Amino acid sequence: QVQLEESGGGMVQTGGSLRLSCSGTEITLSSYNVAWFRRTPEKEREFVAAISWYDNSTYYNDPVKGRFSISRDNAKNTVFLQMNNLKPEDTGVYYCNKLRGGSVYSFRTVGFSRWGQGTPVTVSS
């Protein structure tokens, strides 16, 4: 069954903002490290950002550093990705996934057997 649901994508102009949501369905996200990925014309899966279950520490890929912010609201069982100052190269389908254990850095190398539908983001130039 689907464990994560992505939402919040849309179409914005360059410099605009979007907030994506990753909501747990059958799992409690507070127990997991959670990360955002994106599928772009250049990369099938590019790591974007991650947040730790243990201390809410965060880790960002260089292209989004300073523009994106990952956070969580455990009461809502949701992880957010606030995307500011969006650029055309941010265009893609955004997915979230999870890890029990490891760290925010583990998302760089681990593979996943389950993915949600993703939420598309289009940034016009």
Side-chain angles (χ1 to χ4, degrees), residues 1 7 19 21-22 25 31 33 36 50 53-54 61 63 69 73 79-80 85 89 92 104 111:
Q1 296 184 12
S7 62
R19 188 181 71 170
S21 297
C22 173
T25 56
S31 301
N33 303 305
W36 285 95
W53 74 271
Y54 180 70
N61 198 5
S69 179
D73 185 340
V79 171
F80 301 99
N85 192 24
E89 50 262 44
V104 292

Side-chain angles (χ1 to χ4, degrees), residues 81-114:
L81 184 68
Q82 178 67 45
M83 305 187 297
N84 298 322
N85 192 24
L86 283 162
K87 303 176 179 179
E89 50 262 44
D90 296 317
T91 294
V93 181
Y94 284 69
Y95 304 85
C96 61
N97 222 313
K98 59 174 174 54
L99 271 180
R100 176 169 280 166
S103 73
V104 292
Y105 306 105
S106 302
F107 289 100
R108 288 286 197 178
T109 57
V110 299
F112 298 95
S113 60
R114 298 287 186 271

Side-chain angles (χ1 to χ4, degrees), residues 4 11 14-15 38 50-51 54 58 64 66 68-69 74 81 95 99 112 118-119 121:
L4 301 172
M11 180 177 291
T14 297
R38 64 190 182 188
I51 186 167
Y54 180 70
T58 57
V64 309
F68 291 11
S69 179
N74 290 335
L81 184 68
Y95 304 85
L99 271 180
F112 298 95
T119 185
V121 171

